[in-house]
Amino acid sequence: MSRERSLSLGGMLAAVNVILLFISAAMPTSRLFLLVLSSFSVSIMVIEANANVGAAFYFATSLLAFILIPNKIIAFYYACFFGFYGIVKSYIERLSLNRFFEYVLKLIVFNLSLSIIYVVFKYVFAANIFTGSYSTVLVFALLQVSFVIYDYAYTVFVSFYLKKVKRH
């Protein structure tokens, strides 16, 4: 892909991405769904250009999110996990490991992101996310299952994009 075409695609996707994040911040429901949708744009940049352009796109959209989105928590979620996951996923899947080891690496990345989010909420925002010991274990287990479903949906999206949308 030419540099000009990559730049114009990145600009259009960045605009759509910021709009999705803004709607996510404004709506009381569907926040997670809109964050997931916004994460797909990074994978489009990785597919159409390369991982370095995808990383530049991620940093630019993260910066725009922190500047333009009134709800900084949504921008924080995007910057800490949803924005860069497409890049990490592409690198892990290029390693051509066993599917089990791929999921182990992906879960490690997810749990590191989750730990960063937890620490920031607890020590910066002084917000206690978990109230009891049973709820912590239950939420942690549900987040792991949710991540596996998210990764599968991401794979389905990338496959659909490669087969039906990307020009050959």
Side-chain angles (χ1 to χ4, degrees), residues 17 38-46 54 57-58 78 83 86-87 154:
N17 207 7
S38 71
S39 72
F40 292 159
S41 61
V42 177
S43 66
I44 293 172
M45 287 305 296
V46 170
F57 177 80
Y58 157 69
Y78 177 78
I87 301 163
Y154 211 108

Side-chain angles (χ1 to χ4, degrees), residues 122-153:
K122 184 169 182 160
Y123 296 109
V124 175
F125 296 124
N128 191 5
I129 299 173
F130 305 117
T131 56
S133 61
Y134 290 119
S135 65
T136 304
V137 173
L138 181 63
V139 169
F140 184 76
L142 288 174
L143 285 172
Q144 303 306 305
V145 172
S146 299
F147 171 74
V148 171
I149 294 168
Y150 168 68
D151 183 67
Y152 177 75

